[in-house]
Amino acid sequence: MRYKVVYTKFALRFFRIISLCCSLFLLSTEIWGIYKGALRSILTAEKIDYDLLFNLLFNGIVTIFFVLLIFWPQKFGLLAVIALIYSVSIIPFEPRNYMGILMFFLGTVLLFVRGFFKKHKKTKLIIFSIFLLSLFIAQVRFGFYNFINYLITDIGVLLVIGLITFFLYAYFTNTLVSEDKKLNIALFKNLNERDCRILKRIQTGEKYSTIAKEENITDGTLKNRLHIVFETLETGDKRGFLSLYEDWELFYEPNIIS
């Protein structure tokens, strides 16, 4: 059985706390920015600082994402969106700020964990590579010579981060996943044979409405039951379940529980 750490109750509680702290921090900076910048410029008829307005809008969007994560921490793919937004706001404008590259990799890794690259992997990786390259090309306005220097350094940083990510992925793949990729649903006390059937249908990509009809239950009953199932399996939600068990063989055999 795969060892899970991302969707455990402890991990989700941790995501909630982090999201709450980030929301409060960004909200306080928003209020301070509006008071000291935008509102003050309007009241004193000074020239409007458009950079400040952009930052306020940017922080406001990110704050909304963090607030959503307080209520739905299992959908931490939203963190990937936040990380990618930060990378877009840093890489083209601050060549020496490597936080932008780190944020881009963080967003990519989070999407990988959420199963975003399960389908059409090559196409999506090519799109992400072109997107990152376009962010680097935007640094040409600082001068071609500086651009070349920045690019060489950025490639070095990318290679180091890529190697670290590769070896960590290889380690966890080899040590935390069983080779047979079989899961006995009967191992989980709260789950039954029908849950196993439903999960198999989800693996094949069937819609909830179709599954509910085949199982003679309402859509609402199915969604409520799946909430319990995903919580029991510690996969968070449907996307989390597929990212962990999409290619696993599921079966229900209560007689072979050790």
Side-chain angles (χ1 to χ4, degrees):
M1 184 185 302
R2 178 175 299 202
Y3 177 76
K4 302 178 294 297
V5 294
V6 177
Y7 296 99
T8 61
K9 290 182 178 180
F10 173 80
L12 296 180
R13 190 179 302 115
F14 174 77
F15 287 150
R16 276 196 172 98
I17 293 173
I18 292 296
S19 299
L20 176 61
C21 293
C22 290
S23 299
L24 293 175
F25 173 75
L26 289 172
L27 186 60
S28 63
T29 58
E30 281 285 281
I31 295 174
W32 180 254
I34 292 174
Y35 171 71
K36 293 293 290 185
L39 184 60
R40 189 172 183 179
S41 297
I42 295 174
L43 293 176
T44 58
E46 295 178 358
K47 185 179 179 180
I48 298 177
D49 188 344
Y50 289 101
D51 288 338
L52 175 63
L53 290 178
F54 171 78
N55 289 331
L56 289 173
L57 177 62
F58 170 78
N59 286 335
I61 295 173
V62 173
T63 303
I64 292 173
F65 280 115
F66 275 121
V67 171
L68 292 175
L69 281 168
I70 296 174
F71 298 98
W72 297 288
Q74 69 273 19
K75 300 190 181 297
F76 60 85
L78 293 173
L79 282 175
V81 178
I82 294 172
L84 292 173
I85 290 176
Y86 269 113
S87 69
V88 171
S89 68
I90 294 175
I91 294 176
F93 307 105
E94 302 177 45
R96 291 302 186 189
N97 188 345
Y98 300 116
M99 182 59 71
I101 297 177
L102 292 173
M103 283 293 180
F104 186 89
F105 256 86
L106 174 61
T108 304
V109 170
L110 287 171
L111 288 176
F112 179 83
V113 174
R114 282 290 286 170
F116 177 77
F117 293 100
K118 281 277 188 178
K119 298 179 180 179
H120 311 295
K121 182 185 295 184
K122 290 184 179 179
T123 302
K124 290 177 180 178
L125 287 175
I126 291 173
I127 293 173
F128 267 62
S129 298
I130 294 174
F131 175 60
L132 179 60
L133 181 61
S134 66
L135 295 179
F136 286 145
I137 292 176
Q139 298 175 0
V140 172
R141 70 180 185 280
F142 294 107
F144 184 75
Y145 177 77
N146 289 330
F147 165 70
I148 295 299
N149 287 333
Y150 297 151
L151 185 61
I152 292 174
T153 305
D154 290 339
I155 290 175
V157 173
L158 286 171
L159 288 174
V160 172
I161 297 175
L163 286 172
I164 294 173
T165 304
F166 171 78
F167 284 114
L168 286 175
Y169 172 72
Y171 171 78
F172 285 108
T173 300
N174 292 330
T175 58
L176 302 184
V177 182
S178 62
E179 293 182 358
D180 55 359
K181 287 191 174 183
K182 295 180 179 180
L183 181 65
N184 186 3
I185 299 301
L187 290 171
F188 301 89
K189 184 172 64 174
N190 296 329
L191 305 187
N192 54 45
E193 191 171 2
R194 187 179 72 172
D195 296 327
C196 185
R197 290 199 309 270
I198 292 173
L199 290 173
K200 286 182 178 180
R201 291 179 180 275
I202 290 175
Q203 283 181 320
T204 61
E206 289 190 33
K207 295 182 179 180
Y208 280 1
S209 57
T210 303
I211 297 174
K213 185 177 180 181
E214 291 293 330
E215 296 293 333
N216 294 316
I217 56 177
T218 65
D219 290 4
T221 300
L222 175 63
K223 291 178 181 179
N224 290 335
R225 180 58 190 172
L226 284 175
H227 176 76
I228 297 173
V229 171
F230 293 142
E231 188 176 75
T232 302
L233 292 174
E234 294 185 338
T235 61
D237 56 8
K238 176 183 175 181
R239 172 58 63 183
F241 167 74
L242 290 175
S243 68
L244 289 169
Y245 296 115
E246 185 175 27
D247 55 347
W248 282 49
E249 178 186 344
L250 306 182
F251 62 96
Y252 187 82
E253 291 289 344
N255 296 327
I256 64 173
I257 298 178
S258 56

